[in-house]
mmCIF file with all atom_site columns, all heavy atoms in Angstrom:
data_model
loop_
_atom_site.group_PDB
_atom_site.id
_atom_site.type_symbol
_atom_site.label_atom_id
_atom_site.label_alt_id
_atom_site.label_comp_id
_atom_site.label_asym_id
_atom_site.label_entity_id
_atom_site.label_seq_id
_atom_site.pdbx_PDB_ins_code
_atom_site.Cartn_x
_atom_site.Cartn_y
_atom_site.Cartn_z
_atom_site.occupancy
_atom_site.B_iso_or_equiv
_atom_site.pdbx_formal_charge
_atom_site.auth_seq_id
_atom_site.auth_comp_id
_atom_site.auth_asym_id
_atom_site.auth_atom_id
_atom_site.pdbx_PDB_model_num
ATOM 1   N N   . ALA A 1 545 ? 117.422 141.089 90.262 1.00 97.00 ? 545 ALA A N   1
ATOM 2   C CA  . ALA A 1 545 ? 116.222 141.216 89.439 1.00 97.00 ? 545 ALA A CA  1
ATOM 3   C C   . ALA A 1 545 ? 116.508 140.567 88.088 1.00 97.00 ? 545 ALA A C   1
ATOM 4   O O   . ALA A 1 545 ? 117.541 140.835 87.474 1.00 97.00 ? 545 ALA A O   1
ATOM 5   C CB  . ALA A 1 545 ? 115.858 142.681 89.266 1.00 97.00 ? 545 ALA A CB  1
ATOM 6   N N   . GLU A 1 546 ? 115.609 139.707 87.644 1.00 97.00 ? 546 GLU A N   1
ATOM 7   C CA  . GLU A 1 546 ? 115.807 139.019 86.361 1.00 97.00 ? 546 GLU A CA  1
ATOM 8   C C   . GLU A 1 546 ? 115.029 139.722 85.263 1.00 97.00 ? 546 GLU A C   1
ATOM 9   O O   . GLU A 1 546 ? 114.008 140.353 85.520 1.00 97.00 ? 546 GLU A O   1
ATOM 10  C CB  . GLU A 1 546 ? 115.257 137.591 86.440 1.00 97.00 ? 546 GLU A CB  1
ATOM 11  C CG  . GLU A 1 546 ? 115.863 136.700 87.487 1.00 97.00 ? 546 GLU A CG  1
ATOM 12  C CD  . GLU A 1 546 ? 115.423 135.247 87.280 1.00 97.00 ? 546 GLU A CD  1
ATOM 13  O OE1 . GLU A 1 546 ? 114.348 134.882 87.790 1.00 97.00 ? 546 GLU A OE1 1
ATOM 14  O OE2 . GLU A 1 546 ? 116.140 134.511 86.590 1.00 97.00 ? 546 GLU A OE2 1
ATOM 15  N N   . GLY A 1 547 ? 115.484 139.566 84.048 1.00 96.00 ? 547 GLY A N   1
ATOM 16  C CA  . GLY A 1 547 ? 114.731 140.053 82.886 1.00 96.00 ? 547 GLY A CA  1
ATOM 17  C C   . GLY A 1 547 ? 114.619 141.569 82.818 1.00 96.00 ? 547 GLY A C   1
ATOM 18  O O   . GLY A 1 547 ? 113.594 142.099 82.378 1.00 96.00 ? 547 GLY A O   1
ATOM 19  N N   . VAL A 1 548 ? 115.660 142.249 83.241 1.00 96.00 ? 548 VAL A N   1
ATOM 20  C CA  . VAL A 1 548 ? 115.618 143.716 83.191 1.00 96.00 ? 548 VAL A CA  1
ATOM 21  C C   . VAL A 1 548 ? 115.881 144.166 81.748 1.00 96.00 ? 548 VAL A C   1
ATOM 22  O O   . VAL A 1 548 ? 116.894 143.802 81.152 1.00 96.00 ? 548 VAL A O   1
ATOM 23  C CB  . VAL A 1 548 ? 116.669 144.322 84.157 1.00 96.00 ? 548 VAL A CB  1
ATOM 24  C CG1 . VAL A 1 548 ? 116.672 145.838 84.054 1.00 96.00 ? 548 VAL A CG1 1
ATOM 25  C CG2 . VAL A 1 548 ? 116.376 143.872 85.576 1.00 96.00 ? 548 VAL A CG2 1
ATOM 26  N N   . GLU A 1 549 ? 114.927 144.927 81.218 1.00 95.00 ? 549 GLU A N   1
ATOM 27  C CA  . GLU A 1 549 ? 115.039 145.303 79.804 1.00 95.00 ? 549 GLU A CA  1
ATOM 28  C C   . GLU A 1 549 ? 115.045 146.809 79.570 1.00 95.00 ? 549 GLU A C   1
ATOM 29  O O   . GLU A 1 549 ? 115.345 147.263 78.473 1.00 95.00 ? 549 GLU A O   1
ATOM 30  C CB  . GLU A 1 549 ? 113.896 144.651 79.003 1.00 95.00 ? 549 GLU A CB  1
ATOM 31  C CG  . GLU A 1 549 ? 113.984 143.123 78.990 1.00 95.00 ? 549 GLU A CG  1
ATOM 32  C CD  . GLU A 1 549 ? 112.874 142.451 78.190 1.00 95.00 ? 549 GLU A CD  1
ATOM 33  O OE1 . GLU A 1 549 ? 111.958 143.152 77.730 1.00 95.00 ? 549 GLU A OE1 1
ATOM 34  O OE2 . GLU A 1 549 ? 112.950 141.221 78.034 1.00 95.00 ? 549 GLU A OE2 1
ATOM 35  N N   . THR A 1 550 ? 114.626 147.567 80.587 1.00 94.00 ? 550 THR A N   1
ATOM 36  C CA  . THR A 1 550 ? 114.537 149.015 80.350 1.00 94.00 ? 550 THR A CA  1
ATOM 37  C C   . THR A 1 550 ? 115.290 149.800 81.426 1.00 94.00 ? 550 THR A C   1
ATOM 38  O O   . THR A 1 550 ? 115.502 149.319 82.541 1.00 94.00 ? 550 THR A O   1
ATOM 39  C CB  . THR A 1 550 ? 113.062 149.493 80.361 1.00 94.00 ? 550 THR A CB  1
ATOM 40  O OG1 . THR A 1 550 ? 112.556 149.359 81.699 1.00 94.00 ? 550 THR A OG1 1
ATOM 41  C CG2 . THR A 1 550 ? 112.187 148.705 79.403 1.00 94.00 ? 550 THR A CG2 1
ATOM 42  N N   . VAL A 1 551 ? 115.633 151.010 81.050 1.00 94.00 ? 551 VAL A N   1
ATOM 43  C CA  . VAL A 1 551 ? 116.315 151.908 81.980 1.00 94.00 ? 551 VAL A CA  1
ATOM 44  C C   . VAL A 1 551 ? 115.381 152.243 83.140 1.00 94.00 ? 551 VAL A C   1
ATOM 45  O O   . VAL A 1 551 ? 115.804 152.320 84.300 1.00 94.00 ? 551 VAL A O   1
ATOM 46  C CB  . VAL A 1 551 ? 116.772 153.189 81.237 1.00 94.00 ? 551 VAL A CB  1
ATOM 47  C CG1 . VAL A 1 551 ? 117.349 154.204 82.232 1.00 94.00 ? 551 VAL A CG1 1
ATOM 48  C CG2 . VAL A 1 551 ? 117.800 152.848 80.186 1.00 94.00 ? 551 VAL A CG2 1
ATOM 49  N N   . ALA A 1 552 ? 114.092 152.390 82.855 1.00 93.00 ? 552 ALA A N   1
ATOM 50  C CA  . ALA A 1 552 ? 113.119 152.697 83.912 1.00 93.00 ? 552 ALA A CA  1
ATOM 51  C C   . ALA A 1 552 ? 113.136 151.605 84.979 1.00 93.00 ? 552 ALA A C   1
ATOM 52  O O   . ALA A 1 552 ? 113.089 151.895 86.180 1.00 93.00 ? 552 ALA A O   1
ATOM 53  C CB  . ALA A 1 552 ? 111.722 152.826 83.302 1.00 93.00 ? 552 ALA A CB  1
ATOM 54  N N   . GLN A 1 553 ? 113.245 150.391 84.533 1.00 94.00 ? 553 GLN A N   1
ATOM 55  C CA  . GLN A 1 553 ? 113.285 149.280 85.492 1.00 94.00 ? 553 GLN A CA  1
ATOM 56  C C   . GLN A 1 553 ? 114.547 149.365 86.347 1.00 94.00 ? 553 GLN A C   1
ATOM 57  O O   . GLN A 1 553 ? 114.505 149.167 87.558 1.00 94.00 ? 553 GLN A O   1
ATOM 58  C CB  . GLN A 1 553 ? 113.215 147.935 84.749 1.00 94.00 ? 553 GLN A CB  1
ATOM 59  C CG  . GLN A 1 553 ? 111.836 147.667 84.154 1.00 94.00 ? 553 GLN A CG  1
ATOM 60  C CD  . GLN A 1 553 ? 111.847 146.554 83.102 1.00 94.00 ? 553 GLN A CD  1
ATOM 61  O OE1 . GLN A 1 553 ? 112.905 146.140 82.629 1.00 94.00 ? 553 GLN A OE1 1
ATOM 62  N NE2 . GLN A 1 553 ? 110.665 146.107 82.726 1.00 94.00 ? 553 GLN A NE2 1
ATOM 63  N N   . ILE A 1 554 ? 115.660 149.696 85.706 1.00 95.00 ? 554 ILE A N   1
ATOM 64  C CA  . ILE A 1 554 ? 116.917 149.814 86.464 1.00 95.00 ? 554 ILE A CA  1
ATOM 65  C C   . ILE A 1 554 ? 116.764 150.890 87.536 1.00 95.00 ? 554 ILE A C   1
ATOM 66  O O   . ILE A 1 554 ? 117.115 150.687 88.705 1.00 95.00 ? 554 ILE A O   1
ATOM 67  C CB  . ILE A 1 554 ? 118.096 150.171 85.539 1.00 95.00 ? 554 ILE A CB  1
ATOM 68  C CG1 . ILE A 1 554 ? 118.392 149.021 84.572 1.00 95.00 ? 554 ILE A CG1 1
ATOM 69  C CG2 . ILE A 1 554 ? 119.347 150.494 86.368 1.00 95.00 ? 554 ILE A CG2 1
ATOM 70  C CD1 . ILE A 1 554 ? 119.560 149.283 83.641 1.00 95.00 ? 554 ILE A CD1 1
ATOM 71  N N   . ARG A 1 555 ? 116.218 151.998 87.142 1.00 94.00 ? 555 ARG A N   1
ATOM 72  C CA  . ARG A 1 555 ? 116.096 153.110 88.098 1.00 94.00 ? 555 ARG A CA  1
ATOM 73  C C   . ARG A 1 555 ? 115.170 152.732 89.250 1.00 94.00 ? 555 ARG A C   1
ATOM 74  O O   . ARG A 1 555 ? 115.454 153.037 90.414 1.00 94.00 ? 555 ARG A O   1
ATOM 75  C CB  . ARG A 1 555 ? 115.549 154.344 87.379 1.00 94.00 ? 555 ARG A CB  1
ATOM 76  C CG  . ARG A 1 555 ? 116.580 154.885 86.402 1.00 94.00 ? 555 ARG A CG  1
ATOM 77  C CD  . ARG A 1 555 ? 116.296 156.314 86.039 1.00 94.00 ? 555 ARG A CD  1
ATOM 78  N NE  . ARG A 1 555 ? 117.447 156.867 85.345 1.00 94.00 ? 555 ARG A NE  1
ATOM 79  C CZ  . ARG A 1 555 ? 117.366 157.628 84.275 1.00 94.00 ? 555 ARG A CZ  1
ATOM 80  N NH1 . ARG A 1 555 ? 116.184 157.959 83.776 1.00 94.00 ? 555 ARG A NH1 1
ATOM 81  N NH2 . ARG A 1 555 ? 118.462 158.088 83.716 1.00 94.00 ? 555 ARG A NH2 1
ATOM 82  N N   . TYR A 1 556 ? 114.084 152.106 88.919 1.00 94.00 ? 556 TYR A N   1
ATOM 83  C CA  . TYR A 1 556 ? 113.127 151.687 89.942 1.00 94.00 ? 556 TYR A CA  1
ATOM 84  C C   . TYR A 1 556 ? 113.816 150.763 90.959 1.00 94.00 ? 556 TYR A C   1
ATOM 85  O O   . TYR A 1 556 ? 113.697 150.929 92.166 1.00 94.00 ? 556 TYR A O   1
ATOM 86  C CB  . TYR A 1 556 ? 111.960 150.958 89.264 1.00 94.00 ? 556 TYR A CB  1
ATOM 87  C CG  . TYR A 1 556 ? 110.893 150.457 90.211 1.00 94.00 ? 556 TYR A CG  1
ATOM 88  C CD1 . TYR A 1 556 ? 109.751 151.212 90.440 1.00 94.00 ? 556 TYR A CD1 1
ATOM 89  C CD2 . TYR A 1 556 ? 111.032 149.240 90.879 1.00 94.00 ? 556 TYR A CD2 1
ATOM 90  C CE1 . TYR A 1 556 ? 108.764 150.759 91.309 1.00 94.00 ? 556 TYR A CE1 1
ATOM 91  C CE2 . TYR A 1 556 ? 110.063 148.784 91.743 1.00 94.00 ? 556 TYR A CE2 1
ATOM 92  C CZ  . TYR A 1 556 ? 108.926 149.543 91.952 1.00 94.00 ? 556 TYR A CZ  1
ATOM 93  O OH  . TYR A 1 556 ? 107.965 149.096 92.814 1.00 94.00 ? 556 TYR A OH  1
ATOM 94  N N   . LEU A 1 557 ? 114.527 149.788 90.433 1.00 95.00 ? 557 LEU A N   1
ATOM 95  C CA  . LEU A 1 557 ? 115.166 148.787 91.296 1.00 95.00 ? 557 LEU A CA  1
ATOM 96  C C   . LEU A 1 557 ? 116.284 149.398 92.132 1.00 95.00 ? 557 LEU A C   1
ATOM 97  O O   . LEU A 1 557 ? 116.443 149.078 93.310 1.00 95.00 ? 557 LEU A O   1
ATOM 98  C CB  . LEU A 1 557 ? 115.702 147.635 90.439 1.00 95.00 ? 557 LEU A CB  1
ATOM 99  C CG  . LEU A 1 557 ? 114.617 146.804 89.750 1.00 95.00 ? 557 LEU A CG  1
ATOM 100 C CD1 . LEU A 1 557 ? 115.204 145.997 88.597 1.00 95.00 ? 557 LEU A CD1 1
ATOM 101 C CD2 . LEU A 1 557 ? 113.939 145.873 90.765 1.00 95.00 ? 557 LEU A CD2 1
ATOM 102 N N   . LEU A 1 558 ? 116.996 150.290 91.502 1.00 94.00 ? 558 LEU A N   1
ATOM 103 C CA  . LEU A 1 558 ? 118.098 150.960 92.188 1.00 94.00 ? 558 LEU A CA  1
ATOM 104 C C   . LEU A 1 558 ? 117.565 151.781 93.363 1.00 94.00 ? 558 LEU A C   1
ATOM 105 O O   . LEU A 1 558 ? 118.139 151.773 94.460 1.00 94.00 ? 558 LEU A O   1
ATOM 106 C CB  . LEU A 1 558 ? 118.832 151.860 91.182 1.00 94.00 ? 558 LEU A CB  1
ATOM 107 C CG  . LEU A 1 558 ? 120.204 152.400 91.557 1.00 94.00 ? 558 LEU A CG  1
ATOM 108 C CD1 . LEU A 1 558 ? 121.161 151.258 91.887 1.00 94.00 ? 558 LEU A CD1 1
ATOM 109 C CD2 . LEU A 1 558 ? 120.772 153.203 90.387 1.00 94.00 ? 558 LEU A CD2 1
#
Side-chain angles (χ1 to χ4, degrees):
E546 301 191 274
V548 177
E549 295 181 354
T550 68
V551 174
Q553 289 164 347
I554 294 181
R555 291 200 168 137
Y556 180 96
L557 293 162
L558 195 57

